[in-house]
Amino acid sequence: MQSTKSSESSLLPLAPAYDSILELAPYQTGKPVEELTREYGISDVVKLASNENPLGCSPQVTLAITEQLGQLARYPDGNGYYLKQALADFNDIDIERITLGNGSNDLLDILARSFVGSDDAIVYSQYAFVVYSMLAKMQGATGIEVPAQRYGHDLKAMSQAVLDNPNTKMVFIANPNNPTGTQLKQDELHQFVAGLPPSVLVVLDEAYIEYSPDSNNRALLDTYDNVVIVRTFSKAYGLAGLRVGYALSSARVAELLNRIRQPFNVSRVGLAAAEAALGDQDFIANSRESNKEQMRWLEKQFDALGLGFVKSHANFIMVEIEVEMEDVSAITVNKALLEQGVIVRPLIAYGLKNWLRITVGVAEDNLRLIDTLRSILLDDQV
Ligand SMILES: Cc1ncc(COP(=O)(O)O)c(C=O)c1O
């Protein structure tokens, strides 16, 4: 899928930098509640589509935001000193090894733009977070998708793919993975990193780490300069609307990323909110506990409905809609759920057409989901 500009497309007016940009489909976000209300006239909507924290965020955040409201005319601290200092303490790492992002997606983008050119390749797994393949296309690079193993990363095959493609510059790994919820064993991941050339940057995307502390591979940064860990305040910290993420890396990599990022890529409100959120680890522990309890409940309900699912280590779960009824599929079930005010995420874009990804909500949301799903499947309302 090597993609530079073909002579044909370079003749077009306003041709993009690379032909592969023409293959890009815009990232499909979870349907916003407001959109469903507008389209279907339903006001009582449950959104279980974007892996947001159903408990909201720490009350400390509201306080921190309020303090910033009188300062909105002033630019934020472009270096995000206080947030970085708090992150340095929290992660036991030097402050110059941290880069802040406008959400972790911003960092994934900055990483690709900093390191990957059109002669390079990016390796990622089938069913891994869709943004990785999009970044390869954006950079006009070769995207190498390695077949998954039981819906998770096949590290041996990924290692082989890197060796087979000496132009590999970057490997993306989501751990736990979105949308499958799978998690890698720490020793396997360490072995994988140890076997790669030091010129290949391994980006570990730990967006869901707070729900699965076993996925924390911070220790790798003590040994390998070619590892970057990317995290976000959008999920367990409950700040998706504010857009704050961060990367931990070697000081050299951070220095390069800081050349590429926009000068004020995290807002004044975002910086203050993230710092306050990080300071409230009780909120995170409660969120993790609630998620675990509700995940167990959901698993039991899916079993009772005869629906298959992949064991998840995050705050969402992938459920298989494979029923022996004519005209019933993940697509029709998704539509019926929307009509009844429940938003989940179909996974067609991932090549998982029989599956829906469902964010774990609070008890009330989950009950509504299961009741609606049961009525759709048993009463055949599709
Ligand atoms: C694995 C993974 N990485 C990164 C992101 C990006 O999140 P944000 O830009 O809100 O930090 C997401 C969001 O869904 C995700 O699932």
Side-chain angles (χ1 to χ4, degrees):
M1 209 217 300
Q2 184 79 29
S3 176
T4 47
K5 206 144 121 179
S6 72
S7 52
E8 193 186 339
S9 103
S10 63
L11 293 176
L12 292 172
L14 304 181
Y18 305 109
D19 283 353
S20 50
I21 292 174
L22 298 170
E23 296 162 19
L24 271 172
Y27 179 82
Q28 290 287 319
T29 59
K31 210 182 219 341
V33 171
E34 297 83 350
E35 193 175 307
L36 194 73
T37 303
R38 210 166 51 236
E39 282 177 7
Y40 291 79
I42 305 167
S43 54
D44 182 16
V45 174
V46 170
K47 185 183 174 203
L48 301 172
S50 299
N51 308 336
E52 297 145 330
N53 188 339
L55 300 178
C57 63
S58 159
Q60 306 294 328
V61 167
T62 322
L63 233 74
I65 289 180
T66 313
E67 279 173 16
Q68 293 302 318
L69 295 182
Q71 299 290 320
L72 296 185
R74 300 273 173 213
Y75 278 106
D77 169 8
N79 282 320
Y81 177 80
Y82 291 107
L83 175 58
K84 277 201 203 169
Q85 190 58 63
L87 287 167
D89 292 343
F90 183 74
N91 290 293
D92 189 21
I93 200 163
D94 288 343
I95 196 165
E96 66 268 21
R97 299 179 66 180
I98 301 173
T99 312
L100 298 180
N102 193 251
S104 59
N105 213 74
D106 186 32
L107 290 156
L108 300 175
D109 177 65
I110 294 170
L111 277 158
R113 284 193 290 127
S114 304
F115 290 96
V116 182
S118 57
D119 293 334
D120 299 325
I122 302 183
V123 168
Y124 45 83
S125 174
Q126 181 187 24
Y127 309 142
F129 188 42
V130 72
V131 164
Y132 311 150
S133 61
M134 294 176 73
L135 290 172
K137 289 196 168 88
M138 267 167 51
Q139 296 304 112
T142 306
I144 299 172
E145 183 181 286
V146 176
Q149 194 178 38
R150 279 176 266 112
Y151 298 102
H153 294 69
D154 180 345
L155 290 182
K156 283 210 177 86
M158 289 180 78
S159 201
Q160 194 56 48
V162 174
L163 298 179
D164 291 347
N165 294 276
N167 60 337
T168 303
K169 202 68 192 292
M170 191 168 277
V171 177
F172 280 113
I173 292 178
N175 193 42
N177 183 42
N178 172 19
T180 61
T182 51
Q183 177 180 268
L184 289 162
K185 290 203 178 74
Q186 231 155 23
D187 54 341
E188 281 172 4
L189 196 54
H190 285 216
Q191 222 179 328
F192 171 76
V193 172
L196 292 184
S199 55
V200 175
L201 203 60
V202 182
V203 179
L204 296 179
D205 183 343
E206 295 186 345
Y208 301 95
I209 182 75
E210 295 80 13
Y211 290 107
S212 180
D214 295 352
S215 304
N216 187 338
N217 282 288
R218 153 73 186 82
L220 281 174
L221 296 170
D222 292 333
T223 314
Y224 300 100
D225 279 351
N226 61 327
V227 171
V228 182
I229 291 180
V230 177
R231 299 206 181 133
T232 184
F233 283 91
S234 297
K235 307 299 178 180
Y237 285 100
L239 301 183
L242 279 181
R243 317 302 303 127
V244 190
Y246 67 99
L248 305 175
S249 66
S250 69
R252 164 77 181 146
V253 168
E255 197 261 322
L256 290 171
L257 300 181
N258 276 300
R259 291 179 196 216
I260 295 283
R261 74 171 177 86
Q262 298 288 314
F264 301 105
N265 62 337
V266 184
S267 72
R268 169 178 284 283
V269 173
L271 289 172
E275 191 189 339
L278 189 71
D280 190 352
Q281 288 300 313
D282 286 348
F283 176 80
I284 296 297
N286 285 341
S287 299
R288 181 164 48 239
E289 219 23 65
S290 156
N291 182 67
K292 207 191 262 171
E293 190 185 314
Q294 290 303 312
M295 179 75 87
R296 264 191 237 121
W297 185 82
L298 278 174
E299 286 173 352
K300 274 195 207 137
Q301 308 307 312
F302 295 139
D303 276 339
L305 287 170
L307 298 174
F309 57 85
V310 174
K311 181 85 190 152
S312 171
H313 298 267
N315 66 335
F316 53 84
I317 183 161
M318 198 171 89
V319 181
E320 190 172 23
I321 307 291
E322 205 175 29
V323 282
E324 310 229 320
M325 279 189 272
E326 221 178 292
D327 298 333
V328 177
S329 66
I331 300 162
T332 54
V333 169
N334 178 54
K335 187 165 173 289
L337 282 169
L338 284 177
E339 284 164 359
Q340 296 183 58
V342 180
I343 314 176
V344 299
R345 185 73 76 95
L347 296 174
I348 303 157
Y350 285 87
L352 292 161
K353 69 176 177 44
N354 292 334
W355 297 79
L356 296 175
R357 191 196 66 197
I358 296 168
T359 303
V360 176
V362 287
E364 191 188 348
D365 300 342
N366 297 334
L367 187 62
R368 165 103 174 261
L369 163 85
I370 293 296
D371 282 351
T372 315
L373 202 52
R374 188 183 297 114
S375 71
I376 291 168
L377 294 173
L378 302 185
D379 305 346
D380 195 6
Q381 297 174 19
V382 283

